[in-house]
Amino acid sequence: MIIAVDGPTASGKGTIAKALALHFGLPHLDTGLLYRAVGRQVFLNGTDPDISGDALAACDFPETLLGDPELRTEVTGGLASRVSIHPAVRKALYERQRAFATQPGGAVLDGRDIGTVIAPEADVKLFVTASVAARAQRRYREILERGGTATPSSIEDDLQRRDHRDTARKDAPLKPATDALILDTTALGREEAIAAAITAAQNALAA
Ligand code: C5P
């Protein structure tokens, strides 16, 4: 059984994907982390995230980089969104994601193009979304909890920039699969969003 969870940054898709994995006893892959590792590696190489060849070279990042807390920062998120535009980067990361999705027993993957490109045959496709203001507020709280500093308006601007880049790119843009269930978490708390996702997945599996 493959469960695809797509959606924009800070929509709650990561939390929901982890909870679905736990509920259904499946392994989970946060595919954004792979793009973040490429973005971080470009930075470490001192090269240009907007040049396809530089970004492609950074796809060779060491596995240990996936555990680097720097991957979670807003700066790395911005770099990830820039390197993810290049078709060569998406192609380089495809097999790894595809192999995870098709492993025996199934898997849960979250990202932007899981239901459209990586696993179009997924048994359950959720597109998790929320208003920009609600997402910025959540991201703001997360940053404060980690001891960082930011303002809600700077986060909102950044989210809007990243949404635009993710939805406007030609290759695998962020958009719901035609058969995805849309889950808007704007007015939902964490537990409510998780419960709604589990119900949606159970309904999709029973259909
Ligand atoms: O989900 P997260 O914010 O960690 O993703 C970081 C960036 O990686 C996104 O803004 C997006 O540009 C890119 N990404 C992608 N396709 C995926 C996952 C992430 O293009 N499947």
Side-chain angles (χ1 to χ4, degrees):
M1 169 170 61
I2 304 176
I3 302 183
V5 185
D6 290 303
T9 299
S11 57
K13 68 180 184 322
T15 303
I16 284 173
K18 273 193 215 97
L20 287 172
L22 194 68
H23 182 83
F24 291 103
L26 294 171
H28 164 236
L29 179 66
D30 166 6
T31 63
L33 210 56
L34 303 177
Y35 289 92
R36 284 171 179 265
V38 176
R40 177 75 182 150
Q41 189 62 45
V42 161
F43 170 82
L44 295 171
N45 291 348
T47 54
D48 187 342
D50 301 322
I51 295 180
S52 174
D54 287 359
L56 180 61
C59 291
D60 251 348
F61 61 80
E63 285 303 297
T64 49
L65 187 62
L66 292 172
D68 183 347
E70 274 301 314
L71 295 197
R72 303 282 175 195
T73 65
E74 298 308 292
V75 172
T76 308
L79 288 168
S81 148
R82 284 161 71 185
V83 297
S84 72
I85 280 183
H86 306 299
V89 168
R90 306 202 71 83
K91 196 161 166 255
L93 298 181
Y94 174 84
E95 281 307 333
R96 179 178 188 148
Q97 297 174 79
R98 181 72 194 154
F100 193 92
T102 55
Q103 66 187 288
V108 180
L109 290 87
D110 74 83
R112 302 291 185 291
D113 61 343
I114 309 304
T116 51
V117 176
I118 303 296
E121 79 278 37
D123 305 276
V124 179
K125 294 184 189 178
L126 290 183
F127 190 86
V128 183
T129 188
S131 72
V132 174
R135 289 158 49 209
Q137 215 24 262
R138 287 178 198 158
R139 190 42 61 93
Y140 178 60
R141 279 200 299 269
E142 274 170 29
I143 291 173
L144 292 192
E145 275 163 24
R146 285 202 303 259
T149 50
T151 61
S153 71
S154 70
I155 296 172
E156 211 168 301
D157 289 349
D158 186 51
L159 285 182
Q160 259 157 349
R161 246 193 322 274
R162 280 168 61 184
D163 281 358
H164 177 72
R165 218 182 276 133
D166 287 352
T167 49
R169 71 175 174 231
K170 285 204 188 71
D171 193 15
L174 170 67
K175 64 161 194 249
T178 46
D179 50 351
L181 276 145
I182 313 284
L183 179 60
D184 189 326
T185 65
T186 305
L188 303 181
R190 190 178 181 280
E191 297 310 318
E192 288 170 317
I194 289 172
I198 291 174
T199 303
Q202 279 166 339
N203 289 344
L205 289 169

